[in-house]
């Protein structure tokens, strides 16, 4: 049995290994930057139209301008194929928000909230209530 294992190890060691999946020699294609950018702009226009149609259903922020969808880097070439990058804002608020900060003497307590639509409504209502409480009485000046 051990002789068979040793033979299998040696045969496996000297066996010709198949080359990894290699791209053909002509796969390194030089892409024209002007063509890449014009394709990016064309895709951006069409994507903006689609996002505008589904924004309410998908809870996406409808872009006010096409440039709001621009990623810092417009395109990457991956395995001889251009991959275009776009940004679509799914939320108008950060995913984690500081709800409250309290000074407890020897330490500070920071309350964080994972935001949702309900939390944002709660926070907005709380801000309005605080503003209403901090506002002094109605001004008596009739021209104010």
């Amino acid at each position: 049995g051990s002789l068979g294992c040793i033979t299998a190890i040696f045969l496996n060691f000297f066996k010709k290994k198949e080359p990894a999946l290699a791209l053909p020699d002509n796969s390194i294609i030089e892409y024209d930057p002007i063509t890449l950018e014009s394709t990016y702009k064309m895709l951006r226009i069409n994507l903006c139209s689609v996002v505008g149609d589904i924004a309410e259903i998908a809870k996406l922020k409808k872009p006010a301008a096409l440039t709001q969808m621009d990623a810092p880097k417009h395109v990457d070439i991956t395995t001889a194929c251009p991959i275009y990058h776009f940004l679509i804002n799914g939320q108008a608020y950060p995913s984690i928000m500081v709800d409250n900060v309290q000074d407890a003497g020897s330490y500070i307590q920071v309350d964080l909230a994972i935001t949702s639509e309900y939390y944002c409504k709660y926070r907005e209502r709380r801000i309005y209530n605080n503003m209403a409480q901090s506002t002094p009485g109605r001004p008596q000046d009739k021209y104010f």
Side-chain angles (χ1 to χ4, degrees):
S2 62
L3 183 61
C5 288
I6 293 172
T7 305
I9 291 172
F10 278 117
L11 288 176
N12 193 23
F13 182 72
F14 291 112
K15 184 180 176 183
K16 287 185 178 180
K17 294 185 179 180
E18 295 180 21
L21 179 63
L23 297 173
D25 291 339
N26 63 355
S27 67
I28 301 173
I29 301 171
E30 293 291 324
Y31 286 96
D32 179 28
I34 296 171
T35 303
L36 290 172
E37 191 61 25
S38 65
T39 303
Y40 182 85
K41 289 178 180 178
M42 180 188 64
L43 290 171
R44 183 179 63 185
I45 290 169
N46 291 312
L47 183 61
C48 186
S49 174
V50 171
V51 169
D53 291 343
I54 66 165
E56 187 175 327
I57 297 167
K59 297 189 180 194
L60 297 172
K61 182 179 176 187
K62 193 173 184 178
L66 291 174
T67 55
Q68 285 184 335
M69 295 175 45
D70 285 349
K73 187 173 183 184
H74 290 185
V75 65
D76 279 323
I77 306 299
T78 307
T79 62
C81 179
I83 305 294
Y84 297 93
H85 307 287
F86 297 93
L87 302 177
I88 301 173
N89 302 335
Q91 300 177 1
Y93 47 83
S95 57
I96 297 176
M97 295 177 75
V98 175
D99 184 63
N100 196 13
V101 177
Q102 294 178 357
D103 184 1
S106 61
Y107 62 91
I108 295 175
Q109 177 179 325
V110 179
D111 300 332
L112 298 178
I114 297 175
T115 54
S116 65
E117 186 176 343
Y118 299 110
Y119 175 76
C120 288
K121 287 179 183 177
Y122 158 75
R123 185 178 175 106
E124 185 178 321
R125 197 170 44 247
R126 190 175 73 187
I127 290 170
Y128 286 137
N129 288 342
N130 286 342
M131 287 173 44
Q133 290 176 358
S134 66
T135 307
R138 297 179 75 177
Q140 299 301 323
D141 186 2
K142 64 181 178 180
Y143 298 109
F144 182 68

